[in-house]
Structures are given as structure tokens and as C-alpha cells.
């Protein structure tokens, strides 16, 4: 799937939504005999499709092997986070130093390598990030069908309770970051796959970007390595994997990035929205008067 305009991009997303909406029998009930599954998509854009891996920053930075160095690596990971808390706590007075989930999100927000990976619920925001580097490299937007993902990898219903989500987040942080034991974490008592959740929007930037996180569990591998071929979604008319469609990507030619940014700007998706405040205003003015934007 490849695009050359915002309209074509949105058309593909609508087609994917149509393709992967389906019904299946629910519990015997005269009033509600069927359950309708409508995809809930989250998006991540990147400017270099060929060299990009869907993997959190801390794993890309240190590239540990799975299992053997897990204990040593997690201790390093906690040191990174602990050092950030020690340095940053004087600036963030409304978050307890013991609130590790909150500090993990804050660290991610300010560029510290963590096991979190940013996604967005807004497809236009993801497209902006895919195009914003203005290089000639082919870009892509990755799309995850959150409902199908949770059903396949966690045997969960379409809607997960907030209480269950908070328990899973706390367990991953406890097992993989804070209290990791020397044993291998392949067992069923450990959460293996990345967990998707919506964070508390402590910063306006997170709100405007419609932020969603994936929190990596015991398996320190890129997301596509978990995916069988039947899990990849398609915009074709005659699909065979309606109940298994989890992931796909939409490609953007490098020479179309500038035009797509212009179209996004007409939709109000620009530096001022993505980076609220003076930082975003400065970025917007710089781009407005740069050679790359002038016609």
C-alpha cells in the first residue's frame, strides 16, 4: 500500500476499517446474538522505512540478546530511569519519586531511552512524523489494530478494563525493570508481548498528539518478529484474514513528503499543533520561511 496524497491515505484507512469489521456469535442471547468487532487503529510514522525497526529506544540503543543478558540489561535499564528521576524530580514536583510508571512516561517524553514506544490515535499526526524529516528516503506509517492485537496476543475482549491495564503495566515494570530475577522470563507468569495503553496526559503535547504507548514485556524483539503472515492487514477486496488482521504499513515515497506536509498544514497538522507553545511556533516559522517550504 502506497500513497501520494492525504486523501488516498485516509481512503486506505477507511478500507482497512471496512475489511476488518466482522461479526461473530456471542453468548446465547435473543436480544444480542452477535458481537460486532470494529477495528481500533493506532499509528506510528517514521521517515526511513527501510532501516526502521518497531522497537523501543532503549533496545535499539543497547541491542541486548534475549535471555542470557536479561538480568544485567534490566539492571542497566533501571539505572537509566533512576538517574533520570534523581536529576528531574526537582522540576516535576507533583509526581512522587516512587511512581515508576509515571516517571517512565515522563522519561520517554523527554527523550530518555525506555522500553516504551510512542503511537498515536490520530492518523494525520503519524503521517506528519513520517514526512517531517523531508529526506528523500521512503517513509511509512505502521498501523496496529488494537482490538485484534489484544485478542490474539492476550486473549482479551475488545475492551480491556482500566484496572486490568494498570495491573499489567505494574507487573511489566516490576518484573522487567525493578525486580528482575536471574531466571529466564519465558514462563507463563511473565507478560511476554508489548502491552498497549493510553497514558495520563501530563503534558499538552501528549494530548494534542493523541498519544498511546506500547510497553515492551519480556521479549526484547521488534514487533514484526511476533507476527505471522496471516496477521498482516490488506486493503484488497477479497481478504482471507478478517479475524486476524493486526498490523500493516502504508508507504510514502520520499519525493512526496513535502507535498504531503503542505496538505497536512491545510488540515491544521503542523509544528504548532505537534509541539504546542513557543517551541512549536519557532519550528513553524522556521519551516514556513525555509527553502524547503517556499514555492
Amino acid at each position: 500500500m502506497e500513497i501520494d496524497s492525504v486523501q488516498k491515505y485516509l481512503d486506505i484507512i477507511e478500507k482497512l476499517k471496512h475489511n476488518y469489521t466482522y461479526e461473530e456469535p456471542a453468548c446465547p442471547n435473543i436480544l444480542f446474538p452477535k458481537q460486532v468487532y470494529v477495528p481500533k487503529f493506532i499509528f506510528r510514522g517514521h521517515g526511513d522505512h527501510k532501516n526502521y525497526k518497531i522497537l523501543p529506544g532503549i533496545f535499539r540503543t543497547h541491542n541486548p540478546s534475549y535471555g542470557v543478558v536479561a538480568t544485567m540489561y534490566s539492571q542497566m535499564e533501571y539505572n537509566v530511569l533512576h538517574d533520570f528521576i534523581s536529576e528531574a524530580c526537582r522540576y516535576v514536583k507533583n509526581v512522587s519519586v516512587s511512581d515508576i510508571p509515571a516517571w517512565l512516561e515522563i522519561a520517554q517524553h523527554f527523550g530518555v531511552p525506555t522500553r516504551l514506544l510512542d503511537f498515536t490515535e490520530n492518523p494525520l499526526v503519524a503521517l506528519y512524523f513520517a514526512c517531517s524529516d523531508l529526506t528523500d528516503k521512503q517513509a511509512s506509517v505502521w498501523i496496529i489494530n488494537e482490538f485484534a492485537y489484544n485478542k490474539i496476543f492476550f486473549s482479551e475482549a475488545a475492551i480491556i478494563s482500566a484496572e486490568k491495564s494498570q495491573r499489567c503495566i505494574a507487573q511489566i515494570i516490576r518484573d522487567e525493570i525493578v525486580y528482575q530475577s536471574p531466571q529466564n522470563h519465558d514462563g507463563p507468569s511473565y507478560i511476554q508481548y508489548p502491552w498497549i495503553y493510553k497514558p495520563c496526559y501530563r503534558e499538552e503535547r501528549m494530548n494534542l498528539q493523541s498519544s498511546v504507548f506500547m510497553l515492551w514485556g519480556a521479549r526484547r524483539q521488534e514487533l514484526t518478529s511476533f507476527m505471522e503472515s496471516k496477521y498482516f492487514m490488506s486493503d484488497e477486496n477479497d481478504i482471507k484474514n478478517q479475524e486476524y488482521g493486526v498490523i500493516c504499513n502504508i508507504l510514502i515515497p520520499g519525493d512526496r513528503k513535502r507535498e504531503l506536509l503542505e496538505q497536512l498544514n491545510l488540515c491544521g497538522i503542523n509544528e504548532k499543533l505537534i509541539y504546542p507553545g513557543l517551541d512549536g511556533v519557532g519550528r513553524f516559522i522556521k519551516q514556513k520561511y525555509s527553502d524547503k517550504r517556499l514555492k
Side-chain angles (χ1 to χ4, degrees):
M1 295 179 285
E2 187 173 283
I3 64 162
D4 57 10
S5 70
V6 171
Q7 184 60 60
K8 186 172 182 180
Y9 175 68
L10 295 175
D11 287 345
I12 289 176
I13 293 171
E14 281 299 311
K15 184 64 182 297
L16 290 169
K17 181 179 178 181
H18 175 267
N19 279 359
Y20 293 93
T21 297
Y22 67 95
E23 295 181 346
E24 69 177 17
C27 58
N29 188 313
I30 297 176
L31 295 178
F32 304 103
K34 293 183 178 180
Q35 172 71 48
V36 179
Y37 288 92
V38 180
K40 180 186 177 185
F41 294 138
I42 60 174
F43 309 85
R44 179 174 174 84
H46 197 273
D48 184 1
H49 173 70
K50 180 179 179 181
N51 296 310
Y52 179 68
K53 296 180 179 180
I54 311 176
L55 192 67
I58 201 160
F59 298 136
R60 292 199 300 265
T61 301
H62 298 283
N63 194 27
S65 60
Y66 175 66
V68 177
V69 298
T71 301
M72 180 178 64
Y73 181 73
S74 279
Q75 186 58 49
M76 188 198 319
E77 182 180 3
Y78 187 50
N79 286 351
V80 170
L81 182 60
H82 186 268
D83 281 353
F84 175 76
I85 296 171
S86 298
E87 297 284 351
C89 63
R90 65 184 185 274
Y91 301 110
V92 186
K93 301 183 184 300
N94 60 339
V95 178
S96 168
V97 294
S98 62
D99 190 348
I100 302 301
W103 280 108
L104 193 68
E105 295 168 5
I106 295 168
Q108 173 73 9
H109 177 67
F110 286 101
V112 178
T114 73
R115 64 173 55 230
L116 291 171
L117 192 63
D118 298 274
F119 283 77
T120 175
E121 294 177 321
N122 187 332
L124 297 181
V125 168
L127 184 59
Y128 169 86
F129 281 116
C131 298
S132 60
D133 67 349
L134 284 173
T135 67
D136 59 0
K137 295 178 180 178
Q138 184 184 52
S140 64
V141 173
W142 285 93
I143 304 175
I144 308 294
N145 181 356
E146 183 178 348
F147 289 163
Y149 176 88
N150 288 333
K151 186 177 180 182
I152 290 168
F153 289 97
F154 291 97
S155 301
E156 291 286 349
I159 299 177
I160 298 175
S161 71
E163 186 272 335
K164 170 67 179 292
S165 184
Q166 290 301 313
R167 280 194 288 111
C168 288
I169 294 166
Q171 181 181 341
I172 291 173
I173 291 173
R174 181 186 69 241
D175 292 345
E176 306 302 329
I177 301 177
V178 181
Y179 299 126
Q180 180 166 351
S181 64
Q183 67 191 42
N184 198 306
H185 284 188
D186 284 336
S189 61
Y190 297 100
I191 297 175
Q192 299 296 317
Y193 300 105
W195 182 260
I196 300 172
Y197 75 98
K198 188 173 184 176
C200 296
Y201 289 168
R202 295 179 176 85
E203 298 283 341
E204 182 64 10
R205 183 182 299 186
M206 297 172 73
N207 175 46
L208 293 173
Q209 294 181 9
S210 302
S211 294
V212 179
F213 286 135
M214 284 189 111
L215 174 63
W216 253 243
R219 297 193 179 186
R220 295 159 170 78
Q221 301 158 339
E222 62 176 303
L223 189 65
T224 53
S225 69
F226 307 140
M227 301 294 170
E228 300 177 27
S229 58
K230 66 180 179 180
Y231 296 157
F232 282 81
M233 295 185 288
S234 169
D235 64 344
E236 299 293 331
N237 290 325
D238 187 22
I239 60 169
K240 306 296 184 183
N241 64 335
Q242 194 171 47
E243 298 180 22
Y244 301 100
V246 174
I247 190 170
C248 68
N249 62 67
I250 297 176
L251 300 176
I252 301 113
D255 61 2
R256 298 298 299 172
K257 290 179 179 179
R258 189 170 297 122
E259 176 61 28
L260 286 166
L261 284 177
E262 294 291 346
Q263 294 178 22
L264 287 170
N265 186 45
L266 291 174
C267 301
I269 307 297
N270 53 38
E271 293 83 357
K272 291 189 294 183
L273 177 93
I274 300 296
Y275 306 105
L278 288 175
D279 180 38
V281 172
R283 290 171 185 246
F284 178 76
I285 296 300
K286 179 181 178 180
Q287 290 294 344
K288 181 178 179 181
Y289 289 95
S290 70
D291 290 338
K292 293 177 180 179
R293 287 282 180 91
L294 291 175
K295 293 185 178 180

